[in-house]
Amino acid sequence: MSALKIKKGSSRHSAYDLRDPNGELIERHTLAVLVENEPGVLARVIGLFSGRGYNIESLTVAEVDHSGHLSRITIVTTGTPAVIEQIKAQLGRIVPVHDVHDLTVEGRPVERELALLKVSGTGEKRVEALRLADIFRANVVDSTLGSFVFEITGTSEKIDAFADLMRPLGLEETARTGVAALSRGAD
Amino acid sequence: MTRQMTGAKMVIQALKDQGVDVVFGYPGGAVLPIYDEIFQQNDIRHVLVRHEQGAVHAAEGYARSTGKPGVCLVTSGPGATNAVTGLTDALMDSIPIIVLTGQVPTFMIGNDAFQEADTVGITRPCTKHNWLVRETSKLSETIHQAFHVATQGRPGPVLVDIPKDVQFASASYTPPGKSRTSHYAPRMKGDIDAITKLVEMMEKAERPVFYTGGGVINSGPAASQLLRELVGATGFPITSTLMGLGAYPASGEQWLGMLGMHGLYEANLAMHGCDLMINIGARFDDRITGRLDSFSPGSKKVHIDIDPSSINKVIHVDVPIIGDVGHVLEDILKVWKSRGRKTNSAAVGKWWSKIEEWKKVNCLAFEQKGKTILPQYALSRLEELTKKHDRYICTEVGQHQMWAAQYLGFEDPNRWMTSGGLGTMGYGFPASVGVQMAHPDALVINVAGEASWLMNMQEMGTAVQYRLPVKQFILNNERLGMVRQWQELLHGERYSQSWSEALPDFVKLAEAFGAKGILCKDPADLDDAIMEMINHDGPVIFDCLVEKHENCFPMIPSGEPHNKMLLGSASTKDAIGASGAVMV
């Protein structure tokens, strides 16, 4: 047993100096959370993420079963495997949460996002934008002589790629829905 | 047959149907209709506190000492915001309480009305669940659901916010049996395969230890009985967190004492050196684990908890068992007995001789000499003179709390009320009020520090009004002792703002409230003074002047593992310099 060296004036031993013990790889998971459609339920979910310092990459919510008063929240989150497990357990604790599914663990889920992109320009840029939209199977849902609004559906990566291409062609505004996801195959 | 009644009457009816006998509260504009109903009945007793925080802590004290949920009633706005600390405290320590708040009428919500606050918004992160009731027809059902959620699974605080127009309007009352309870139904039985795995590990373990927590107490008296049976039958040593004291008796042969930052030497070293750790209803709190990467490095860990989010939150465990402690313990005993009650008794015997060596360090030793009372001595005498009584102990937060945990012995569950997770100074006094309401004939003592006690001293009014003979045992060192200790050990003895200046004369303060005050500063007078306190039929403020610079040991400095414990100056008095007792 040796004397513990605590320097006078040092605050290195503060209780608040605790490091994250799980320095592991960060994973990206898509969670489907079935909740009772009652006031404040989204605030509970979001408050959990902000209060405990978890990440939200995207979040979508809508009622999916009107008679059963159920909404489905699809959350894309990142974290170490331990953090992802903790997120699921914490979500499960929320009283109006009925079910938490980790779609990423249950098999590569079908993930789709919808985006609207406003691109303005004339001449060659306008033609190029239209041509690329065709390649990406984006639809024109509004057009003026100087602008288009494209509607595109796909994975987040596809939408990122399309937005990157549109940027030099006059991308002005983007609206994205966030990811909706379902597991593959019969349940 | 359905009965029509006003929302206000429904509140009282629902509380009666839930078996509530006491409500702690404070009236205000937005709860006047409910208070009008309270006035017109005699089944439920209302205790008028002096501050809403006091109401919540009193309800916590009531809940912890009875195992039943505690109930509070407060008004909107400031009434609700004053309840926030108590709600957070109850959430951290898993205490079932139901807080009913008044709210401005529904048509005024969102208009910044007088005494309006977004109560459900503010309390969302500090309740297990909360509700804003917008229709009288849903009020009774919501209150029944609130009791269900507060008490089922891992218990916790819930809040029901009731706008004033909902209290005035009439609807039909739904009795508890007819209420739609929510889908909320946590799992009680543990997985039998995991339990069998644990039993296999118990049969082979060479250096096992039970590490128990508040979950055993929350599970009910039967869980404590089963724990005692299991510990006795296996012969394994047992330690407990602050929250779990009393589940296993302090006089029990296998008791190692409390573990953790200010836990006993033998308990912490047993945790560090064990090869099988059986966590029953505890949560690997940072006050327990110390440094994570060297926490009990050589052990397999089993964790029994009703809350799946407790599993692997801090410490990775080898065998998780999700379920109610009582149910799981019953199954463990069943499986273990059916397999022939085996343990590796030779190895466990060796383990015990190692533990006996650690016990010889006598880490709680102190020497009372001179004319100043040592806090350890004060508590040892308090223990000696009160242990035969039907006794309940509350504490505030700080050094005195740790000394109380170390020097007082708890023989039964529900006898120890302390703010563990949140560490709320000002908890103990109102909690003692709640405990005494539930146990009118018991000896209820709040072990306090003078600084903590001042935080909710207004509750003297409550204690005197309801003739609650609560004993406020204040270890007065005129310091924020724990803050001072950390400043001494970790901040170069720069005692920034950690002394209590301009303290009241506690004897006169007691007298001003119509209570009794006792001052004691001489060790020779202590026993008589404590007896005087016990024998006085009424609330007492006991001002015990103690050594101002005493530190609380043993201590695991933050960020250090269990085996890097500091022991006190009493055991190493020749080996330490003048600047302080920083010895391992």
Side-chain angles (χ1 to χ4, degrees):
Chain A
M1 285 191 244
S2 63
L4 193 90
K5 286 179 203 120
I6 298 175
K7 283 191 196 115
K8 279 199 178 171
S10 162
S11 58
R12 272 185 55 241
H13 293 271
S14 160
Y16 310 104
D17 192 27
L18 300 169
R19 302 263 143 72
D20 174 19
N22 306 304
E24 297 172 60
L25 279 178
I26 302 288
E27 294 178 356
R28 183 173 182 273
H29 283 237
T30 305
L31 309 178
V33 188
L34 216 56
V35 300
E36 212 144 306
N37 189 11
E38 61 175 42
V41 66
L42 185 60
R44 284 178 211 283
V45 171
I46 292 172
L48 169 68
F49 277 76
S50 65
R52 293 186 184 264
Y54 306 141
N55 299 312
I56 299 180
E57 294 225 324
S58 104
L59 183 147
T60 64
V61 56
E63 190 173 67
V64 290
D65 176 359
H66 183 71
S67 59
H69 291 284
L70 292 177
S71 289
R72 184 178 174 110
I73 302 177
T74 308
I75 307 169
V76 181
T77 183
T78 56
T80 62
V83 167
I84 300 281
E85 285 308 307
Q86 191 53 210
I87 290 173
K88 287 187 270 181
Q90 292 290 351
L91 283 168
R93 278 176 93 189
I94 298 176
V95 171
V97 167
H98 283 237
D99 224 342
V100 181
H101 284 283
D102 186 339
L103 299 175
T104 307
V105 167
E106 289 170 13
R108 210 165 44 84
V110 181
E111 293 189 10
R112 288 294 179 272
E113 192 177 352
L114 186 141
L116 298 172
L117 296 93
K118 185 178 285 180
V119 179
S120 44
T122 52
E124 191 48 41
K125 281 192 174 175
R126 183 172 163 85
V127 176
E128 184 60 23
L130 207 55
R131 197 178 295 141
L132 284 166
D134 193 40
I135 293 168
F136 276 79
R137 278 180 272 172
N139 299 319
V140 177
V141 291
D142 178 68
S143 71
T144 66
L145 288 175
S147 71
F148 290 119
V149 173
F150 294 114
E151 173 206 53
I152 180 170
T153 311
T155 61
S156 300
E157 291 75 20
K158 177 182 167 184
I159 291 168
D160 289 344
F162 185 63
D164 286 346
L165 288 169
M166 287 299 123
R167 203 157 286 124
L169 299 177
L171 179 65
E172 288 196 338
E173 256 186 289
T174 310
R176 296 171 71 150
T177 58
V179 174
L182 281 181
S183 59
R184 288 175 194 269
D187 272 336
Chain B
M1 199 189 85
T2 57
R3 283 184 291 162
Q4 289 285 315
M5 61 178 81
T6 64
K9 205 174 182 79
M10 237 178 229
V11 170
I12 303 303
Q13 189 60 47
L15 294 181
K16 276 186 204 168
D17 288 350
Q18 290 290 343
V20 174
D21 51 3
V22 187
V23 171
F24 302 91
Y26 203 99
V31 280
L32 283 175
I34 300 174
Y35 271 88
D36 201 32
E37 291 298 332
I38 285 177
F39 188 84
Q40 299 174 50
Q41 56 85 48
N42 284 317
D43 297 328
I44 295 173
R45 191 151 181 222
H46 180 274
V47 176
L48 176 69
V49 294
R50 299 303 190 263
H51 186 287
E52 288 88 350
Q53 186 189 353
V56 187
H57 293 325
E60 284 187 89
Y62 178 92
R64 287 188 204 213
S65 66
T66 60
K68 296 197 296 183
V71 182
C72 303
L73 173 61
V74 299
T75 193
S76 63
T81 56
N82 279 343
V84 164
T85 302
L87 287 167
T88 313
D89 190 272
L91 186 70
M92 290 287 268
D93 286 346
S94 306
I95 306 304
I97 56 168
I98 292 96
V99 175
L100 307 174
T101 52
Q103 181 55 280
V104 301
T106 49
F107 53 84
M108 291 177 84
I109 289 177
N111 284 340
D112 296 328
F114 176 65
Q115 292 196 327
E116 182 186 355
D118 175 11
T119 302
V120 286
I122 289 168
T123 60
R124 203 171 278 134
C126 59
T127 51
K128 189 173 169 186
H129 195 57
N130 62 14
W131 296 261
L132 168 63
V133 184
R134 288 175 175 275
E135 291 152 57
T136 309
S137 61
K138 290 189 176 155
L139 179 57
S140 45
E141 192 171 75
T142 305
I143 294 173
H144 299 316
Q145 280 182 13
F147 276 84
H148 176 77
V149 170
T151 53
Q152 297 303 298
R154 181 177 180 173
V158 298
L159 181 143
V160 184
D161 199 23
I162 313 170
K164 198 170 181 182
D165 56 335
V166 172
Q167 300 170 31
F168 274 123
S170 287
S172 67
Y173 176 77
T174 315
K178 297 236 169 74
S179 281
R180 189 183 66 101
T181 50
S182 64
H183 68 281
Y184 182 75
R187 176 176 173 167
M188 301 295 274
K189 296 281 271 183
D191 175 43
I192 203 73
D193 290 341
I195 289 171
T196 309
K197 206 161 170 195
L198 162 62
V199 171
E200 283 168 14
M201 291 160 95
M202 283 165 52
E203 289 167 351
K204 292 192 197 114
E206 297 179 355
R207 301 185 307 281
V209 67
F210 287 110
Y211 148 44
T212 61
V216 184
I217 307 219
N218 275 337
S219 180
S224 292
Q225 275 312 318
L226 289 163
L227 177 73
R228 290 164 190 220
E229 189 186 340
L230 181 66
V231 172
T234 56
F236 294 172
I238 174 170
T239 178
S240 163
T241 66
L242 183 72
M243 295 304 299
L245 296 177
Y248 184 82
S251 60
E253 274 182 23
Q254 285 138 273
W255 177 239
L256 302 183
M258 181 178 75
L259 80 160
M261 182 173 271
H262 292 288
L264 270 66
Y265 187 70
E266 49 268 37
N268 283 332
L269 286 195
M271 287 287 280
H272 191 78
C274 66
D275 72 342
L276 174 63
M277 179 186 295
I278 307 166
N279 173 341
I280 308 178
R283 61 184 178 92
F284 295 109
D285 178 75
D286 56 79
R287 302 289 99 165
I288 298 303
T289 58
R291 183 169 166 162
L292 290 174
D293 58 8
S294 20
F295 174 69
S296 191
S299 64
K300 293 269 182 218
K301 298 172 187 75
V302 180
H303 189 178
I304 303 166
D305 203 302
I306 199 162
D307 179 0
S309 78
S310 287
I311 307 286
N312 293 334
K313 183 169 72 177
V314 184
I315 295 288
H316 178 80
V317 293
D318 302 280
V319 181
I321 302 174
I322 296 166
D324 168 64
V325 164
H327 285 80
V328 173
L329 284 173
E330 200 178 348
D331 285 342
I332 293 173
L333 273 162
K334 231 181 261 168
V335 173
W336 181 70
K337 284 177 186 169
S338 74
R339 290 168 56 104
R341 301 165 166 265
K342 285 180 287 208
T343 59
N344 186 348
S345 51
V348 173
K350 265 202 234 165
W351 176 227
W352 269 112
S353 36
K354 185 118 199 189
I355 291 171
E356 292 304 331
E357 275 174 41
W358 293 329
K359 280 189 175 178
K360 282 186 198 136
V361 169
N362 200 5
C363 66
L364 294 184
F366 64 91
E367 207 178 337
Q368 171 65 51
K369 53 181 186 183
K371 285 301 235 180
T372 311
I373 300 172
L374 285 184
Q376 297 93 326
Y377 178 71
L379 285 169
S380 302
R381 295 315 302 158
L382 185 73
E383 166 71 0
E384 200 49 43
L385 297 171
T386 62
K387 67 181 178 191
K388 298 244 163 61
H389 286 73
D390 177 19
R391 182 186 77 174
Y392 292 82
I393 300 284
C394 302
T395 75
E396 306 285 346
V397 169
Q399 284 183 321
H400 67 273
Q401 177 189 27
M402 293 298 112
W403 280 317
Q406 291 170 342
Y407 291 91
L408 304 181
F410 298 95
E411 295 298 310
D412 293 299
N414 303 103
R415 298 278 173 163
W416 165 246
M417 277 54 60
T418 192
S419 173
L422 193 64
T424 309
M425 290 172 72
Y427 164 85
F429 185 11
S432 71
V433 166
V435 174
Q436 191 84 70
M437 276 307 294
H439 309 278
D441 300 322
L443 174 62
V444 180
I445 303 170
N446 175 35
V447 177
E450 82 289 346
S452 279
W453 193 82
L454 288 176
M455 280 204 182
N456 270 324
M457 58 164 270
Q458 76 285 345
E459 300 305 330
M460 268 316 278
T462 313
V464 172
Q465 178 182 345
Y466 294 92
R467 298 169 201 268
L468 301 172
V470 288
K471 315 301 184 201
Q472 304 303 313
F473 193 74
I474 301 175
L475 298 173
N476 184 352
N477 60 1
E478 300 172 17
R479 300 288 184 278
L480 309 186
M482 193 60 95
V483 172
R484 197 210 63 83
Q485 175 169 347
W486 280 53
Q487 288 172 337
E488 179 188 323
L489 297 180
L490 308 169
H491 293 277
E493 300 180 46
R494 291 181 293 279
Y495 299 125
S496 179
Q497 309 297 319
S498 57
W499 69 94
S500 302
E501 194 79 57
L503 282 171
D505 177 330
F506 284 102
V507 174
K508 281 188 185 156
L509 183 69
E511 285 162 2
F513 274 105
K516 183 181 179 65
I518 299 173
L519 173 70
C520 183
K521 51 187 172 187
D522 188 335
D525 301 336
L526 187 59
D527 279 22
D528 287 345
I530 290 175
M531 288 313 294
E532 191 186 350
M533 172 183 89
I534 297 169
N535 292 329
H536 179 72
D537 183 22
V540 176
I541 302 178
F542 190 107
D543 185 14
C544 187
L545 300 187
V546 296
E547 167 58 44
K548 295 184 190 350
H549 301 113
E550 190 65 15
N551 282 336
C552 183
F553 288 115
M555 176 183 186
I556 303 173
S558 273
E560 294 293 341
H562 282 167
N563 58 344
K564 290 278 173 68
M565 211 177 324
L566 309 181
L567 292 178
S569 44
S571 57
T572 57
K573 58 181 184 297
D574 299 325
I576 53 159
S579 62
V582 214
M583 289 294 294
V584 177

